[in-house]
Amino acid sequence: MASPDMLALSRRPGFRDAALLRPESVALIADPALDITGLLARNLVAGGFAGRLIAVGIEAAGFERAADIAALPIAPDLAILCLPPERQAEAMAALAARGCFAAVLPGAAPDLAAISAATGVQALGQGSFGIAIPAIGLNATLSHIPPRPGRLALVTQSAALARAVLDWAEAEAVGFSHVVGIGGNAGIGFALVLDWLARDAATGAVLLDLRRIKNRRLFVSAARAAARMRPVVALRAGGRLDDASGISDQVMEAALRRAGVLRVAGLEAMLSAAETLARVRLSTRVTADSPGDRIAIVTNGTGLGQLAADAVIAGGGRLAQFSPESLAALAISLPPRSSGRNPINLGPLAGTHLGEAAAMLAALPAVDTVIALHAPVPDERPETVRDTLIAAARATRGAPVLVGWAGEATGRAQRAALAEAGVAVFPTPEAAVRGALHLAADRAARAAAAELPPADVLDLAPDRATVRRIIATLRAEGRRAMLEDEALSVIAAYGLPTVPCRAAMGPEEAAVAASMLGFPVVLKARSPDLPRKTEIGGVVLGLQAPEAVRMAAEAMAARIAEHRPGARHMGFLVQRQAARAHELRLRLGDDAMFGPWIGFGRGGTAADIDPDEGFDLPPLNLALAAALIARTRAARLLHGYRDHPVANRSAIADALVRLSQIAVDFPEIATLSINPLVADADGVLALDATLVLRPKGMRAHLAIPPYPAALAETWTAKDGGPLLIRPIRPEDATALGEMFRELAPEDVRFRFFSALKELPPAMTARLTQIDYDREMAFAAVRREAGRHDRILGVARLIREPGGESGEFSVAVVPPMKGQGLARRLMARILDWGRSQGMRHAAGQVLTDNQPMLGFMRALGFSIHRVPEDDSVVEARKDLRE
């Protein structure tokens, strides 16, 4: 289940992510004839790096000198290779021999992946912008401006974009925790860097410039881990250059959505998001009832406030509504001329009241973000107004405060001062609103990724044997495209309702088949070479009698022979005609970067002419399927209109989950389309389907690991009670909360090192929505009729990113103590760790938790002191024993 790439990276001799992302020594291996050598040498020295700088190949002030790589006085943590391509392989082999396994390649590289595989040296590149970590004075980049320290991380493939962002950041006084140039992404990619940033307390937000994703599963996994902890914003340039349809771009957006990453549309939007996320203190008051889009506007001029209000509404946000009590409290402190309506206009003589009002609005529970707008005023003391706005933005409680300070001649200096003070400040009302909407979008993206789904699970019992038999038939016949009835049989095997149909070889047989099905019927051409049968009259509707079917079949055969003489004609398909209902299309497709995707939207013959389609990645559950439906325009039509009935949205979501399971179970399927899937109040019915297999031997690789159902086992406790031990799943959120409430207070303290009264929703999401490639949690459940599974115990093993060690935990409810359940759960979780190539498992235990310490010793764990904390010991086990 763990990616071979991740396992291989973790086993590289000597490679440590800290060597790349927190080096203590840097070697510049350079050719003085290359243009970039001088720039990198100057930036490294000027940055004031706290560690050692050593140069090979050049003479430069500020560096120690070594004659060659073998003569380096130490094995450096990080090497910067400014060498022509023909010298890189030899240099990296020499670095490995000297004990250096992390490098940056700012120039071209002939085959970086092959060189890294041969030498074990992992590198950023080719064409890397370099790496900067301002907190330690490291500037090993091709930047024209040294980045200042701060809390923003930039991970980019484009050197030009990196320079543009750094130039903007210097003018706006925005600082960085890291600037990392991935370059062509042939070496170290996004995943390792994101894993580091997810654990870095100095990073407040992450900006991503995405062009090429090397390992889809590692990227989505690492992006999701990072977005759980802090905002992550992504920009993709050139998304439509290679795909005019825009599907690839929408699939990337779906992948980012699943990870909780905010996608922005362009450089201006990215800089606006950076301005906001780098400075504001994020509100924790957002709930499911309020996604964080309630914006309060306070201004010293009517026009600015109205422009901002228009921008809020146009951008999909909401103007915050104030309760009568809030209005009364505001009225006491605001100037008499001010209005109590949002936007609140204080008038041109507002003075210090602008900051005071912003602080008061930020404290209101009905406000998620405050925008304070200032226009220049004669005879005003702008410094006084500015200082009150700084104080409002720095308030420790309430909603974040964004400032819009208009004007250039006088406004530019005030904006610069606000920026230096760490305030998110913008030159126009519209720009300030964009910043507020970015905050709301980030909250919504991360909340959706961590949303707790209902306990409902769609239990599937597909007839996989039938699907395997159909695929074997196609392979034996040398076909990749299924006939329509074959494709319908595949989806029927997964419990998706299909229209009754019969295949017929000729017109007479078609007439007989129609009589058996009952009239009216639909007649279709049966051919793997006619994916759009309607274009040549390959579909005839409303046939009411056998003779009509026979005549239609003869005419259809003649049209195919005339217009598609090369098409294989394998008879006819006769179907009972369905009643009129909503026509939808469900699709399974394949993206070069993110692999299999699921599409949902309006169906019928106009589906490609006027597309309305939402996208997501398999696997889907019912909650994800419902969200996919809701993202399309077709969702509004499903409520019913004119002569179209209400559609059963639950049945549509059910169909999407079944299609997703087909993608999981049969990675040899390249594309599958159900069009139309008709939906009414009673459910759904598939009328047509096409399916194409991949070339023999090729299989899909999902970007998101599916639920590992094969790891489930039945186990019997000492009291004879049967339990199911299976991997935990998102739908277990309710059951996990119930298990937590069954634990004794002392057990809670032992497990969580604190006296929690209730599992917070964010923690519940974290414990149930796991990435099966990087951690596992086995839940022991008892199935009870009429309710969701009851969880009686959980054991968990969280793998260090890319590493060979993991942290374990285990807890069981009091009635199950002494039943052998904890021992069985630990055996399962440690076996899983061994299967992933892990070598060690460890966990911290409170020193007064004597039952757990005895249990650990009985399982073969050794107990070790934790030097910095006498209240905790570490239990450790070598999984290779």
Side-chain angles (χ1 to χ4, degrees):
M1 289 205 343
S3 162
D5 290 349
M6 177 65 90
L7 290 175
L9 182 61
S10 70
R11 293 170 181 166
R12 288 297 182 198
F15 178 78
R16 297 175 294 114
D17 51 5
L20 173 71
L21 295 158
R22 199 76 178 181
E24 297 179 1
S25 55
V26 177
L28 177 61
I29 318 297
D31 183 334
L34 295 183
D35 293 339
I36 59 175
T37 294
L39 175 60
L40 275 163
R42 291 192 300 273
N43 283 347
L44 279 165
V45 172
F49 180 51
R52 295 177 69 174
L53 291 176
I54 311 166
V56 174
I58 61 168
E59 297 281 351
F63 288 85
E64 300 177 45
R65 179 81 173 89
D68 54 30
I69 294 173
L72 286 167
I74 59 170
D77 287 329
L78 178 64
I80 314 297
L81 294 181
C82 295
L83 298 173
E86 62 272 13
R87 293 178 55 190
Q88 291 167 1
E90 179 184 1
M92 289 175 70
L95 285 170
R98 186 64 186 88
C100 174
F101 294 93
V104 175
L105 268 69
D111 190 347
L112 179 55
I115 297 173
S116 292
T119 64
V121 178
Q122 303 303 303
L124 289 170
Q126 73 272 4
S128 169
F129 178 69
I131 183 168
I133 309 170
I136 61 173
L138 178 65
N139 181 14
T141 73
L142 300 175
S143 176
H144 62 302
I145 294 177
R148 63 173 67 197
R151 292 181 55 76
L152 196 63
L154 173 64
V155 187
T156 176
Q157 293 194 250
S158 167
L161 187 141
R163 286 190 292 270
V165 172
L166 293 179
D167 200 289
W168 163 85
E170 180 60 24
E172 297 294 322
V174 171
F176 294 86
S177 65
H178 297 77
V179 177
V180 183
I182 300 296
N185 201 4
I188 293 171
F190 287 97
L192 183 139
V193 179
L194 284 170
D195 273 329
W196 174 275
L197 296 176
R199 309 191 304 273
D200 180 44
T203 298
V206 181
L207 302 182
L208 299 179
D209 159 42
L210 303 174
R211 308 294 170 85
R212 171 179 174 263
I213 303 301
K214 181 172 56 177
N215 187 310
R216 62 189 64 147
R217 186 170 286 186
L218 282 183
F219 170 79
V220 173
S221 172
R224 186 176 187 182
R228 284 186 187 277
M229 306 302 296
R230 55 191 49 81
V232 180
V233 180
L235 169 69
R236 184 191 189 190
R240 291 183 178 265
L241 288 177
D242 299 323
D243 179 17
S245 71
I247 289 179
S248 179
D249 206 48
Q250 293 182 75
V251 171
M252 170 173 272
E253 186 156 341
L256 296 176
R257 185 188 307 111
R258 288 288 285 272
V261 174
L262 172 62
R263 166 85 182 276
V264 293
L267 181 58
E268 182 180 2
M270 172 176 269
L271 297 182
S272 176
E275 172 71 24
T276 309
L277 297 174
R279 301 187 193 277
V280 302
R281 175 184 36 75
L282 298 179
S283 173
T284 59
R285 301 187 310 197
V286 180
T287 66
D289 298 328
S290 172
D293 61 350
R294 302 169 301 177
I295 299 171
I297 302 167
V298 60
T299 176
N300 70 342
T302 302
L304 294 185
Q306 290 175 339
L307 287 172
D310 287 345
V312 168
I313 296 169
R318 291 186 291 170
L319 292 171
Q321 301 295 313
F322 308 134
S323 67
E325 294 79 11
S326 297
L327 287 173
L330 290 169
I332 295 173
S333 302
L334 297 182
R337 290 188 54 191
S338 64
S339 68
R341 181 182 175 188
N342 192 10
I344 297 176
N345 178 20
L346 303 181
L349 302 180
T352 60
H353 290 293
L354 189 61
E356 294 170 359
M360 293 178 64
L361 291 170
L364 297 179
V367 174
D368 296 316
T369 305
V370 176
I371 297 176
L373 301 173
H374 178 274
V377 176
D379 301 324
E380 182 185 54
R381 294 182 59 84
E383 296 82 4
T384 303
V385 179
R386 180 194 70 207
D387 290 344
T388 63
L389 289 170
I390 291 172
R394 288 178 173 175
T396 57
R397 293 184 179 180
V401 176
L402 280 57
V403 175
W405 195 294
E408 285 298 316
T410 61
R412 179 179 295 182
Q414 300 306 324
R415 288 197 299 272
L418 285 161
E420 285 285 353
V423 177
V425 59
F426 304 86
T428 66
E430 295 84 356
V433 169
R434 280 197 298 272
L437 293 176
H438 281 134
L439 276 180
D442 169 68
R443 291 162 176 156
R446 294 198 290 147
E451 186 175 358
L452 298 177
D456 298 332
V457 176
L458 184 60
D459 286 326
L460 300 178
D463 182 1
R464 295 183 178 92
T466 291
V467 179
R468 284 193 290 267
R469 185 169 61 251
I470 295 172
I471 291 176
T473 299
L474 258 70
R475 295 297 192 197
E477 296 177 0
R479 288 191 288 135
R480 290 175 52 203
M482 287 190 183
L483 299 168
E484 181 180 339
D485 51 303
E486 293 170 329
L488 287 171
S489 295
V490 168
I491 62 177
Y494 275 74
L496 208 155
T498 59
V499 64
C501 61
R502 288 179 178 273
M505 295 307 299
E508 295 294 343
E509 191 176 339
V512 173
S515 298
M516 297 176 68
L517 288 170
F519 295 98
V521 297
V522 177
L523 182 72
K524 297 181 179 180
R526 190 169 182 261
S527 170
D529 303 324
L530 299 173
R532 292 180 174 86
K533 296 182 282 290
T534 56
E535 294 179 355
I536 61 164
V539 179
V540 179
L541 306 174
L543 298 174
Q544 297 283 356
E547 182 61 18
V549 172
R550 185 185 62 78
M551 293 175 61
E554 291 174 348
M556 185 180 294
R559 285 194 298 272
I560 293 173
E562 178 183 357
H563 297 289
R564 295 287 194 275
R568 289 169 289 179
H569 184 45
M570 304 174 71
F572 304 93
L573 189 66
V574 185
Q575 295 179 332
R576 185 181 299 160
Q577 183 158 319
R580 185 176 184 185
H582 296 273
E583 291 192 341
L584 306 170
R585 179 172 69 175
L586 278 59
R587 289 203 290 171
L588 168 64
D590 191 63
D591 179 66
M593 193 176 297
F594 285 100
W597 50 260
I598 301 288
F600 166 81
R602 205 163 49 236
T605 55
D608 289 322
I609 299 172
D610 181 24
D612 166 34
E613 194 165 21
F615 295 87
D616 211 324
L617 304 182
L620 297 180
N621 59 18
L622 289 171
L624 290 168
L628 170 57
I629 295 168
R631 287 194 295 272
T632 64
R633 298 194 306 274
R636 297 193 298 271
L637 305 179
L638 299 178
H639 295 294
Y641 64 98
R642 295 183 182 175
D643 58 343
H644 285 70
V646 173
N648 186 331
R649 292 177 67 152
S650 296
I652 301 169
D654 179 292
L656 283 165
V657 173
R658 294 179 188 276
L659 177 62
S660 169
Q661 192 61 45
I662 293 174
V664 170
D665 290 347
F666 291 95
E668 56 263 65
I669 295 176
T671 63
L672 197 167
S673 176
I674 305 171
N675 185 24
L677 178 82
V678 294
D680 59 19
D682 295 326
V684 297
L685 189 66
L687 305 188
D688 197 348
T690 60
L691 191 155
V692 178
L693 299 176
R694 300 176 188 276
K696 192 172 184 178
M698 294 184 61
R699 298 168 65 86
H701 182 64
L702 300 180
I704 299 173
Y707 180 72
L711 296 181
E713 70 165 10
T714 301
W715 180 80
T716 303
K718 290 181 180 178
D719 63 3
L723 300 178
L724 179 67
I725 296 179
R726 57 163 175 78
I728 206 162
R729 57 193 179 197
E731 294 85 356
D732 287 325
T734 300
L736 187 67
E738 293 172 352
M739 175 197 162
F740 179 86
R741 289 188 286 274
E742 283 192 64
L743 297 177
E746 190 75 342
D747 290 339
V748 172
R749 184 178 71 85
F750 285 153
R751 168 64 181 86
F752 294 97
F753 288 26
S754 65
L756 287 175
K757 300 294 185 184
E758 194 80 15
L759 268 184
M763 184 180 292
T764 304
R766 171 67 189 85
L767 295 175
T768 54
Q769 299 176 26
I770 67 174
D771 183 335
Y772 300 110
D773 275 350
R774 62 172 60 207
E775 70 175 288
M776 180 56 68
F778 282 107
V781 303
R782 176 165 290 153
R783 302 206 145 173
E784 300 177 1
R787 70 183 306 271
H788 55 259
D789 292 351
R790 179 187 173 202
I791 297 180
L792 303 178
V794 177
R796 188 177 305 271
L797 185 59
I798 303 175
R799 179 180 186 160
E800 294 178 358
E804 298 176 339
S805 299
E807 182 179 359
F808 76 88
S809 64
V810 62
V812 299
V813 296
M816 295 305 298
K817 291 183 178 181
Q819 296 293 316
L821 178 58
R823 178 179 289 271
R824 183 57 193 164
L825 286 170
M826 284 297 297
R828 290 301 314 278
I829 207 69
L830 296 180
D831 283 345
W832 176 85
R834 293 185 188 95
S835 73
Q836 304 307 299
M838 296 174 63
R839 298 187 177 190
H840 304 96
Q844 292 193 338
V845 182
L846 292 173
T847 52
D848 61 343
N849 190 354
Q850 291 302 317
M852 176 61 78
L853 291 175
F855 178 59
M856 290 292 97
R857 290 188 180 97
L859 293 180
F861 281 75
S862 56
I863 309 300
H864 305 268
R865 289 184 60 253
V866 177
E868 63 272 15
D869 190 347
D870 291 338
S871 67
V872 174
V873 294
E874 183 180 74
R876 192 182 308 156
K877 183 176 180 64
D878 188 335
L879 299 183
R880 295 167 296 180
E881 295 177 352

